[in-house]
Amino acid sequence: MALLTVKDLSIGYDGQVILSGLNFAVNAGDYLCIVGENGAGKTTLMRTLLHLQEPLGGEILTGDGLAAGEIGYLPQQTAVQKDFPASVREIVLSGCRGRCGIKPFYGRKEKLLAEENMARMGIGELAGRCYRELSGGQQQRVLLARALCAAKKLLLLDEPVSGLDPKVTAEMYGLIEGLRRDGMAIIMISHDLSAAVRYASHILHIGRQLFYGTTETYKVSETGKYFLKSAEEGGINA
């Protein structure tokens, strides 16, 4: 069974549907990019998948032993979050909160997991540094390590390369691809169509036109050809 299955999903807020008829599935090792114009509902969809807001119709099912609380999440950063006065180790360790159960403290197991994920993201030597003193790329690595502390099989990323320079962006995509090769399923919101079709195994295009399928199928579909051409010409702000 798929890790995540969406059936005839309707999403929105304040009781107002902004998108309906969503059907897709994510399996182990899939890399699904969610693309579409600004305002199409990409972040609303991700928040609904995380049960941070209720669906307005349809179903979101988990399978293959995945529990709702075992999904890692890297949201878009706000200016306030970028200035958070905590150490790297404290922020990464906070991703283990859902693993602690009723324990009011982090145990040896959680601390070891945090250390492993910092090493995995290449930030082990930054553990004692203050988060707000780091560069944008370093901060994203910290937040990705934090998300990995919560994730067991599925990781949700909301525009993780937004605001990063090209070199750091390429490094971040490399880290994400490495996680996918290790078996982690990825769902990522992307405003960069060219990068989405370069890295993703599947595309979910939402907005006035809906598409879900493999990246190769998307590239030859009428929806894909139109939006990729528009993106190349600078006419789409996804």
Side-chain angles (χ1 to χ4, degrees):
M1 184 179 179
L3 289 170
L4 188 75
T5 303
V6 168
K7 295 184 177 181
D8 201 25
L9 184 68
S10 296
I11 62 171
Y13 40 83
D14 298 329
Q16 183 71 36
V17 174
I18 62 172
L19 196 62
S20 61
L22 288 170
N23 292 277
F24 62 92
V26 178
N27 294 285
D30 281 356
Y31 188 162
L32 172 67
C33 267
I34 303 172
V35 300
E37 305 96 314
N38 282 339
K42 297 187 293 292
T43 296
T44 301
L45 172 58
M46 187 162 281
R47 289 180 55 82
T48 305
L49 294 178
L50 289 161
H51 301 283
L52 298 176
Q53 60 189 74
E54 291 299 312
L56 300 182
E59 294 181 289
I60 301 171
L61 307 172
T62 56
D64 199 19
L66 179 71
E70 297 174 343
I71 300 173
Y73 177 43
L74 195 164
Q76 292 186 52
Q77 274 206 91
T78 65
V80 171
Q81 289 169 330
K82 290 180 180 179
D83 201 37
F84 196 65
S87 74
V88 167
R89 180 178 287 106
E90 288 170 330
I91 289 176
V92 174
L93 191 55
S94 69
C96 297
R97 183 64 263 172
R99 295 174 178 266
C100 293
I102 62 173
K103 294 187 301 182
F105 55 85
Y106 300 112
R108 182 177 179 276
K109 184 177 179 181
E110 289 79 32
K111 292 176 181 177
L112 180 60
L113 180 62
E115 295 294 332
E116 289 174 349
N117 283 321
M118 284 189 287
R120 196 175 185 184
M121 292 296 103
I123 55 171
E125 74 282 359
L126 302 177
R129 290 274 303 277
C130 182
Y131 177 77
R132 65 184 177 188
E133 296 173 355
L134 304 181
S135 68
Q138 289 170 331
Q139 288 188 342
Q140 286 298 83
R141 285 175 180 252
V142 172
L143 296 180
L144 192 50
R146 180 185 185 276
L148 286 171
C149 285
K152 288 191 175 179
K153 299 179 180 180
L154 179 60
L155 191 59
L156 273 60
L157 312 173
D158 193 346
E159 298 193 9
V161 300
S162 179
L164 302 180
D165 66 44
K167 179 178 182 295
V168 177
T169 293
E171 291 173 353
M172 185 61 64
Y173 277 125
L175 289 171
I176 295 167
E177 174 60 20
L179 294 173
R180 187 199 65 79
R181 287 198 302 266
D182 288 341
M184 183 74 71
I186 308 290
I187 300 177
M188 184 173 81
I189 291 175
S190 177
H191 66 277
D192 188 340
L193 278 174
S194 61
V197 298
R198 186 182 314 133
Y199 294 105
S201 63
H202 295 74
I203 299 289
L204 173 64
H205 189 123
I206 64 176
R208 288 168 290 178
Q209 300 182 50
L210 291 178
F211 173 93
Y212 166 68
T214 66
T215 299
E216 293 306 311
T217 304
Y218 178 72
K219 288 192 289 187
V220 298
S221 71
E222 291 304 312
T223 299
K225 287 189 290 186
Y226 172 78
F227 282 99
L228 285 166
K229 181 180 179 182
S230 297
E232 290 174 1
E233 296 172 350
I236 293 290
N237 187 16

